[in-house]
């Protein structure tokens, strides 16, 4: 029952952040959305911050799983793998309102919370490492490092601009296509 309850609370945290923002999300708002007692949050996560950390880890895990699901096909070429990395960052889950609002809150809070800063560092390094692996197959070492940094910035920048736009769904679709076009243009 513990994993089921934990996932309910993580989902409720995503929803609470979407409705109220991170600062106004409380143990009470989360427990009401989850339909569980507020004491269970302390029992499983030690409090709100522990649950926020677990929620961010959930977002990161979903990102990792989306990529693994796409690249587990054998014989993917470097360009195909790069396109899969882009797609993993723009999945319907990562574009959902609860996920986008939680990501935005997480990034802002990571400047003040060492644990969240560590998770952001891991996330950035993972994206860069995945991109660099594929670019190394296509470019010399210096160009590969530069391309990986540019592509990571483009993915994050386009994702952020899309999340903050008036019509995020359209913007997310266009952002994914522009990132893929950048890869194709760079390889040419």
């Amino acid at each position: 029952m513990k994993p089921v309850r934990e996932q309910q609370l993580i989902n409720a945290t995503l929803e609470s952040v979407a409705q109220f923002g991170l600062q106004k999300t409380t143990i009470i708002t989360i427990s009401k959305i989850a339909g569980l007692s507020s004491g269970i949050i302390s029992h499983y996560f030690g409090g709100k911050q522990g649950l926020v950390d677990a929620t961010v880890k959930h977002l990161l895990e979903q990102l990792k799983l989306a990529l693994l699901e796409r690249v587990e096909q054998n014989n993917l070429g470097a360009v195909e793998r790069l396109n899969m990395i882009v797609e993993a960052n723009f999945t319907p889950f990562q574009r959902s309102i609860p996920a986008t609002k939680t990501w935005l809150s997480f990034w802002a809070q990571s400047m003040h919370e060492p644990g969240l800063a560590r998770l952001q560092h891991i996330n950035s390094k993972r994206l860069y490492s995945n991109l660099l692996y594929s670019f190394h197959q296509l470019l010399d070492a210096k160009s590969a490092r530069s391309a990986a940094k540019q592509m990571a910035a483009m993915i994050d920048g386009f994702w952020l601009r899309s999340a903050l736009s008036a019509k995020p769904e359209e913007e997310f679709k266009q952002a994914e296509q522009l990132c893929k076009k950048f890869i194709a243009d760079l390889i040419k």
Side-chain angles (χ1 to χ4, degrees), residues 28-40:
I28 292 169
T29 62
I30 296 166
S31 62
K32 281 183 182 177
I33 291 169
L36 300 169
S37 74
S38 59
I40 202 163

Side-chain angles (χ1 to χ4, degrees), residues 104-117:
L104 293 171
S105 296
F106 157 65
W107 285 333
Q109 199 60 30
S110 70
M111 294 183 283
H112 308 287
E113 296 283 335
L116 293 179

Side-chain angles (χ1 to χ4, degrees), residues 4-69:
V4 171
R5 294 283 185 243
E6 287 176 342
Q7 191 59 52
Q8 280 179 284
L9 292 167
I10 287 169
N11 292 342
T13 302
L14 288 165
E15 189 57 43
S16 183
V17 171
Q19 286 182 37
F20 308 111
L22 184 60
Q23 297 303 321
K24 292 183 181 176
T25 287
T26 65
I27 289 175
I28 292 169
T29 62
I30 296 166
S31 62
K32 281 183 182 177
I33 291 169
L36 300 169
S37 74
S38 59
I40 202 163
I41 293 171
S42 294
H43 176 71
Y44 286 142
F45 299 100
K48 177 185 168 185
Q49 191 57 49
L51 181 50
V52 168
D53 291 350
T55 301
V56 170
K57 288 176 185 174
H58 173 71
L59 290 173
L60 293 169
E61 182 68 14
Q62 293 306 304
L63 190 55
K64 181 176 102 177
L65 291 174
L67 179 58
L68 291 174
E69 179 181 289

Side-chain angles (χ1 to χ4, degrees), residues 76-92:
L76 277 183
V79 174
E80 292 168 308
R81 191 171 190 283
L82 287 164
N83 286 324
M84 297 298 129
I85 294 168
V86 170
E87 287 178 17
N89 280 274
F90 292 98
T91 62

Side-chain angles (χ1 to χ4, degrees), residues 151-170:
M151 191 73 248
M154 287 187 78
I155 289 169
D156 287 345
F158 275 129
W159 189 96
L160 177 63
R161 290 174 66 95
S162 299
L164 295 174
S165 74
K167 295 182 179 181
E169 196 56 39
E170 291 173 27

